[in-house]
Each structure stands twice: as C-alpha cells, then as structure tokens.
Amino acid sequence: MTQAIDYFYSHVSPWAFFGHPRFLSLAQRRGVLINFHPITVAEVFPKTGGLPLAKRPPERRAYRMVELKRWSKYLDMPINFEPKFFPVNDRPSLQFSLAAAQAGADLGSLSYALMKAVWQQDRDVSDWSTLAEIGTEAGLNGDALVAEAQTDAIKAKGVAESELALQAGCFGVPWYSYKGEGFWGQDRLELLEHALEHHASA
C-alpha cells in the first residue's frame, strides 16, 4: 500500500512557494502520494492563535523579511519580497484549484504556477480573470474552471479542506501531515524525509 502525505498549503504563502518544488521532489523520490489540500489561512489563523501579517508586531515582520531574503538566496529562488498583490484573499485560488483537481488537473504543477504568479510575476490570484489566464496557460480550460470554482459545491469543499487542516493540527502553512504527525514549514522537509526513512526501515 502506497504511503501518503497530506499537504495543507496556501497559494499566497511564500513559505509554501519555497518548499513546493522540494516537497514534490521528495515525494517522487520516496514513492509517496501527495494528498493536496489547498486552504485559506483566514479559516485557520483565527482558530489557532495566528495573526495576519499586518497585525503582527514590527519585530516579527522585520524578521520575516530577513528570513525571506535568507531563504531566497539559499534556495536560489528569486521572489518579489513585497509583491504588488499581497496580501490578497486566497479563497478564489483555493476554489479554482479544487475545481481543477475535480477536472483531473495536476495540482502539483498548477499550484506552483499560482504561487509563482504571486511571488515572481506580480499577478493577482484573487482575480477570477487572472486565474482563468493561469489555467489556460497550464493547458486547462481556464474559463470553465473559473465558472465551476464559484459554485456552492466548490465553496463548501473549500471550507471542508480548512476543517480537515484544523483536524490535522495545522495552524500555519505549509503543513505536511504523515501518519498523524505534523510538520510545519518548508524548513521541516528534512525531518519529514527522516520520518519517511524511519518508517520504511521499521
């Protein structure tokens, strides 16, 4: 039976962006499945003590910027440190990706395209027309996905994904859940891989 990791993330998280390609590579290397769970932190933060960036103390905001620059250089992943469209509502991109998954799209590559739109391309992923463009660029029917993304069924699924995150103990993104154990942050990927190794050898 193939092992699986539940992956909770937001398209507007720079940390999810930094970790995404390494996580996909890790899963492929270890032969584990990824259960993609795009969520909105607006559903998670209020229930777990998290604060949106604008409400954090200046010391925390300053250190966040230090870390962004540090990780960007370390990973050789250029980003816009202050994107034109950030912060933005991540519900549209969440619903769009759920509609795409329902249509059989590869969420690994599509989610990365949505993240790059925010952190490298200064595009607004809260805008439906922008989402349609990103979908079309990915070889999908962007307009059809945008229409589906706005249905009540997809909206409800989006809420359900965030509820799943809370049940998994998630309070921030990215969050990787493996066999009931949570790993918060792209800087925990090494520990996640260690857990996979340990289980494989057990």
Side-chain angles (χ1 to χ4, degrees):
M1 185 175 175
T2 304
Q3 300 177 71
I5 298 169
D6 289 302
Y7 174 35
F8 300 97
Y9 61 100
S10 166
H11 298 110
V12 302
S13 163
W15 312 112
F17 167 68
F18 280 147
H20 194 80
R22 285 163 36 241
F23 176 53
L24 296 188
S25 176
L26 183 160
Q28 184 177 37
R29 191 168 63 247
R30 293 290 171 186
V32 297
L33 292 175
I34 299 174
N35 295 323
F36 291 90
H37 299 286
I39 65 170
T40 172
V41 292
E43 292 282 347
V44 171
F45 278 0
K47 298 170 184 175
T48 57
L51 290 174
L53 183 61
K55 294 185 177 180
R56 293 175 198 167
E59 294 84 359
R60 286 181 177 265
R61 292 202 304 269
Y63 186 71
R64 170 185 173 275
M65 186 59 69
V66 168
E67 284 280 83
L68 285 177
K69 292 178 178 178
R70 187 178 282 159
W71 278 101
S72 174
K73 183 177 181 180
Y74 178 71
L75 297 173
D76 194 22
M77 290 178 69
I79 71 167
N80 296 329
F81 296 111
E82 297 185 52
K84 184 177 180 181
F85 298 101
F86 177 84
V88 294
N89 182 3
D90 54 2
R91 291 179 196 271
S93 64
L94 152 64
Q95 292 168 208
F96 180 76
S97 60
L98 291 177
Q102 188 172 274
D106 170 23
L107 274 200
S109 59
L110 180 62
S111 292
Y112 195 43
L114 291 166
M115 294 172 188
K116 286 193 289 187
V118 179
W119 294 103
Q120 290 184 334
Q121 299 165 359
D122 271 339
R123 298 167 83 179
D124 184 0
V125 296
S126 67
D127 176 70
W128 291 112
S129 61
T130 300
L131 291 171
E133 289 171 5
I134 293 169
T136 300
E137 289 163 11
L140 307 169
N141 187 331
D143 291 333
L145 292 179
V146 161
E148 180 63 25
Q150 296 177 76
T151 63
D152 288 342
I154 291 293
K155 287 178 185 176
K157 185 165 175 53
V159 173
E161 291 292 341
S162 294
E163 286 300 320
L164 274 177
L166 289 166
Q167 290 169 24
C170 171
F171 52 79
V173 290
W175 185 277
Y176 316 97
S177 184
Y178 173 64
K179 293 193 173 297
E181 186 176 357
F183 298 82
W184 174 43
Q186 56 91 28
D187 52 345
R188 302 300 191 279
L189 284 171
E190 187 177 354
L191 294 175
L192 172 59
E193 184 155 22
H194 179 74
L196 289 166
E197 285 177 357
H198 178 75
H199 186 266
S201 62

